[in-house]
Amino acid sequence: ETSEVERSIAMRSGAADWVCLSQEEGPEKPEEVVALFHLSRDFALKLLPLQAVKCLEAVVQKQPPYLPHVEAEARANLAVLLLRHTRNAREAKAHLERALRQAEQLPVSLAFVCKVISLLSTCLGKLGSGVQQRQVLAKGLDLVLRDRLEYEGATEEEKVRWYLVFQAHLAGVLVRDGEREVALEMALEARAEVENKATTLAQLQANLTVLQLMLAAGCHDERAADQVSRCEAAIGLCDATEVLESAAYFHLLRSLLELRVGRQDGLRSALSEAARAITGLMERGATARLLPPDFLEILYDLLASQYHRLGGDYAEEKSRIQQAHALIRKQSAMMGSDPRSAEFEPYYQLLTF
């Protein structure tokens, strides 16, 4: 069995993100393909991405070619490695487009096709191809809403989960392009779509997205207050240990709302709840799954600095800002060694600003 250390390395290296077809999806793979796939994953686990890429290139360059389901899986994972470890997003895009065309003609799972679409969206974002990115995400949404290809074994819960993933991607694109009100309207539609269909944790994520987009759109009125109540109710329905990260982020968003409307007592209360949730995460030795390392602590320190400023405690304000900047510098220094740095960098740029 893989040790905890190896699992941690796998998460950082991208080996844990391998896009797999199950044994039921297509004919049995040839022995040499199975061996090359295993070698590639082992190399990725050992942080040897070049060797991992070479193994998969041997599969896709084979003449005569392997069956389409083999090639689709190899190309999808080649793209994962290229996106994680190189700046060659254009080549990753070509592999993903080919994998998607092949997958749409094969009896594969909904999860496989959705993973390829999600990766392609990320790739197009890196290339600055906003129009194509929107088209790909719209295709993904259409797929899970209508289940046009009637994938065998696709549960309602799985479709809802991918619906939320694609909606979140699309909301990010809209905000990036300055269409914050449109993003908010879309998030409200998504919230209504998954109500009573998704798990309680997924419904919480949908509600947090709405609250975040309300704040981004400058909405601080009773709609925001109602959304805060919705998030609190959703948190109350979730397992206390599973919801700590989301709860911490919620209380930080609530702190931001209280700060913007000038309620100092409300700000103090929200920060206190955020600190409790962040401490709970640390005591359990849990790592953030949805947000970058130290993001919650940095945002907490920055909001706490504003609270102390409002109270006239300028020494504590300065101390909190210095703590936040120290964590940002630490994460910035580690950027080059973390394959996920490209995903995390915008977060730290925002916090620095």
Side-chain angles (χ1 to χ4, degrees):
E1 291 186 359
T2 310
S3 68
E4 286 303 315
V5 173
E6 287 174 322
R7 285 195 186 96
S8 176
I9 293 172
M11 289 299 293
R12 297 200 312 273
S13 68
D17 295 331
W18 194 273
V19 185
C20 294
L21 288 170
S22 68
Q23 291 182 348
E24 292 76 25
E25 298 177 73
E28 187 177 351
K29 297 183 182 75
E31 289 183 7
E32 65 270 23
V33 170
V34 174
L36 285 167
F37 278 9
H38 279 307
L39 269 176
S40 183
R41 295 188 73 174
D42 285 343
F43 281 132
L45 187 65
K46 295 171 181 174
L47 299 182
L48 297 170
L50 179 60
Q51 291 90 329
V53 166
K54 291 295 183 185
C55 291
L56 294 180
E57 284 180 339
V59 176
V60 301
Q61 292 170 3
K62 171 77 162 52
Q63 291 298 328
Y66 290 112
L67 291 173
H69 73 285
V70 170
E71 188 178 337
E73 184 174 348
R75 288 187 183 279
N77 290 296
L78 254 176
V80 170
L81 292 169
L82 290 169
L83 289 171
R84 289 284 188 189
H85 301 286
T86 77
R87 297 182 183 275
N88 200 345
R90 198 164 297 281
E91 185 180 346
K93 172 177 173 284
H95 284 303
L96 289 166
E97 288 174 335
R98 180 80 172 267
L100 185 57
R101 285 196 300 271
Q102 291 172 319
E104 288 176 331
Q105 304 302 318
L106 296 169
V108 298
S109 65
L110 178 69
F112 182 83
V113 178
C114 288
K115 284 176 184 176
V116 173
I117 290 174
S118 180
L119 284 166
L120 183 55
S121 169
T122 300
C123 191
L124 291 167
K126 288 178 182 289
L127 292 169
S129 305
V131 174
Q132 278 186 278
Q133 191 178 16
R134 291 190 189 203
Q135 291 171 344
V136 165
L137 290 170
K139 183 176 188 173
L141 285 168
D142 181 60
L143 185 69
V144 294
L145 281 174
R146 293 173 175 77
D147 196 14
R148 290 182 292 106
L149 303 185
E150 298 181 352
Y151 292 96
E152 292 184 14
T155 64
E156 189 64 29
E157 184 178 324
E158 185 181 14
K159 290 188 218 175
V160 168
R161 182 170 65 85
W162 280 111
Y163 172 77
L164 289 173
V165 168
F166 293 142
Q167 283 281 17
H169 273 301
L170 189 52
V173 173
L174 291 167
V175 171
R176 182 194 67 201
D177 294 344
E179 299 179 46
R180 295 180 177 182
E181 290 288 349
V182 177
L184 175 56
E185 288 304 314
M186 190 191 69
L188 288 167
E189 290 176 9
R191 186 187 70 184
E193 179 70 30
V194 304
E195 196 166 10
N196 301 321
K197 293 182 183 178
T199 63
T200 52
L201 194 56
Q203 290 186 59
L204 171 59
Q205 293 301 323
N207 276 292
L208 282 174
T209 298
V210 170
L211 179 58
Q212 182 175 347
L213 290 170
M214 281 183 171
L215 295 175
C219 173
H220 308 138
D221 54 17
E222 63 275 3
R223 288 191 302 163
D226 176 66
Q227 189 57 31
V228 165
S229 298
R230 281 176 172 268
C231 289
E232 288 175 328
I235 288 171
L237 294 173
C238 294
D239 181 271
T241 56
E242 288 185 355
V243 81
L244 277 173
E245 182 184 4
S246 296
Y249 191 48
F250 160 68
H251 290 300
L252 290 173
L253 290 176
R254 187 164 68 91
S255 299
L256 186 55
L257 175 62
E258 299 291 349
L259 177 63
R260 288 184 176 176
V261 299
R263 288 194 292 259
Q264 195 167 351
D265 288 345
L267 174 58
R268 181 179 65 250
S269 172
L271 285 172
S272 176
E273 292 294 333
R276 186 177 293 110
I278 293 170
T279 301
L281 271 174
M282 292 178 171
E283 287 176 347
R284 286 171 172 79
T287 55
R289 293 178 299 168
L290 305 173
L291 295 164
D294 294 334
F295 181 87
L296 292 169
E297 294 91 324
I298 296 168
L299 185 54
Y300 173 82
D301 281 333
L302 291 174
L303 288 167
S305 75
Q306 296 302 298
Y307 170 76
H308 291 297
R309 182 181 185 181
L310 290 171
D313 190 345
Y314 302 117
E316 185 62 23
E317 176 201 4
K318 181 179 179 181
S319 174
R320 289 289 184 179
I321 290 175
Q322 288 174 336
Q323 287 180 50
H325 284 187
L327 287 171
I328 291 171
R329 284 195 299 272
K330 182 188 84 172
Q331 291 300 332
S332 297
M334 295 171 64
M335 279 287 176
S337 63
D338 192 331
R340 298 179 68 191
S341 59
E343 302 168 29
F344 292 161
E345 191 171 5
Y347 286 86
Y348 298 119
Q349 288 176 345
L350 173 65
L351 292 173
T352 302
F353 172 78

